[in-house]
Amino acid sequence: MIIDRMENMMNYISVLPGLKNGIEKIRDLTEFIPGRYEFDGGFFMIQKGVTRPIEEGSFESHKKYIDVQILLEGSEEVAWEDIRKLTVTVPYDPEKDAQRLTGSREHTMKITQGMFYAAFPWDGHQPVAHTREMQSFTKIVLKLPAFWDSENSSR
């Protein structure tokens, strides 16, 4: 998983295919209305909401897409773990490009306005969570194509 500030985002274009086109499409927006937006090389969703207690959620992971989550306003906490250390609770669904997992939430990070994180297929991540107090957020979830065969990778 990559966690960084938005001003450093373009430093990752070599490992995040489609990132440049996604950022250009985001810059074309005049307002951030929740919904799905397509661009050459992927798509993104604008989401607004509030977090839920971390113990109520589960980890997710994806095979077709890399999640790049950008916090525009507010904050959230995200738990992370390598999927090899997690237990699958809902098997992979190719239509949703997601599987659900459970395990230790030992690695938790607060993501605040102006930060982003990128979750690769081996990154079990539990977003939209809080450990103490509910938080509100507005964020963009970029879906960028994974550029390797995750079925046959060493993970």
Side-chain angles (χ1 to χ4, degrees), residues 86-109:
L86 298 171
T87 302
V88 174
T89 57
V90 177
Y92 180 73
D93 179 343
E95 293 291 317
K96 295 179 180 178
D97 184 39
Q99 68 179 341
R100 291 288 182 181
L101 310 105
T102 189
S104 170
R105 295 179 182 94
E106 180 181 358
H107 310 291
T108 304
M109 174 70 134

Side-chain angles (χ1 to χ4, degrees), residues 56-74:
E56 290 181 10
S58 61
F59 288 90
E60 63 185 38
S61 70
H62 314 285
K63 293 182 181 185
K64 294 179 193 173
Y65 293 100
I66 300 165
D67 263 7
V68 180
Q69 302 201 21
I70 304 166
L71 265 288
L72 299 174
E73 295 176 349

Side-chain angles (χ1 to χ4, degrees), residues 86-141:
L86 298 171
T87 302
V88 174
T89 57
V90 177
Y92 180 73
D93 179 343
E95 293 291 317
K96 295 179 180 178
D97 184 39
Q99 68 179 341
R100 291 288 182 181
L101 310 105
T102 189
S104 170
R105 295 179 182 94
E106 180 181 358
H107 310 291
T108 304
M109 174 70 134
K110 185 168 186 170
I111 309 297
T112 59
Q113 181 175 333
M115 294 177 72
F116 78 94
Y117 58 96
F120 293 86
W122 53 83
D123 292 319
H125 55 289
Q126 181 186 343
V128 189
H130 64 265
T131 54
R132 293 191 182 103
E133 294 180 6
M134 186 180 350
Q135 303 161 48
S136 62
F137 64 87
T138 301
K139 69 178 180 175
I140 294 173
V141 180

Side-chain angles (χ1 to χ4, degrees), residues 11-111:
N11 293 331
Y12 297 97
I13 59 174
S14 64
V15 294
L16 296 171
L19 178 64
K20 185 176 179 184
N21 290 344
I23 296 301
E24 287 172 3
K25 177 72 173 184
I26 291 166
R27 287 183 179 148
D28 288 344
L29 296 177
T30 55
E31 55 185 318
F32 296 105
I33 299 170
R36 180 179 164 132
Y37 301 82
E38 304 286 330
F39 64 90
D40 184 24
F43 65 95
F44 64 87
M45 298 163 289
I46 297 176
Q47 301 174 341
K48 292 183 179 195
V50 295
T51 59
R52 63 185 175 275
I54 198 162
E55 53 280 336
E56 290 181 10
S58 61
F59 288 90
E60 63 185 38
S61 70
H62 314 285
K63 293 182 181 185
K64 294 179 193 173
Y65 293 100
I66 300 165
D67 263 7
V68 180
Q69 302 201 21
I70 304 166
L71 265 288
L72 299 174
E73 295 176 349
S75 60
E76 71 175 340
E77 292 173 69
V78 60
W80 170 89
E81 187 56 80
D82 186 305
I83 61 170
R84 293 176 296 182
K85 294 185 176 185
L86 298 171
T87 302
V88 174
T89 57
V90 177
Y92 180 73
D93 179 343
E95 293 291 317
K96 295 179 180 178
D97 184 39
Q99 68 179 341
R100 291 288 182 181
L101 310 105
T102 189
S104 170
R105 295 179 182 94
E106 180 181 358
H107 310 291
T108 304
M109 174 70 134
K110 185 168 186 170
I111 309 297

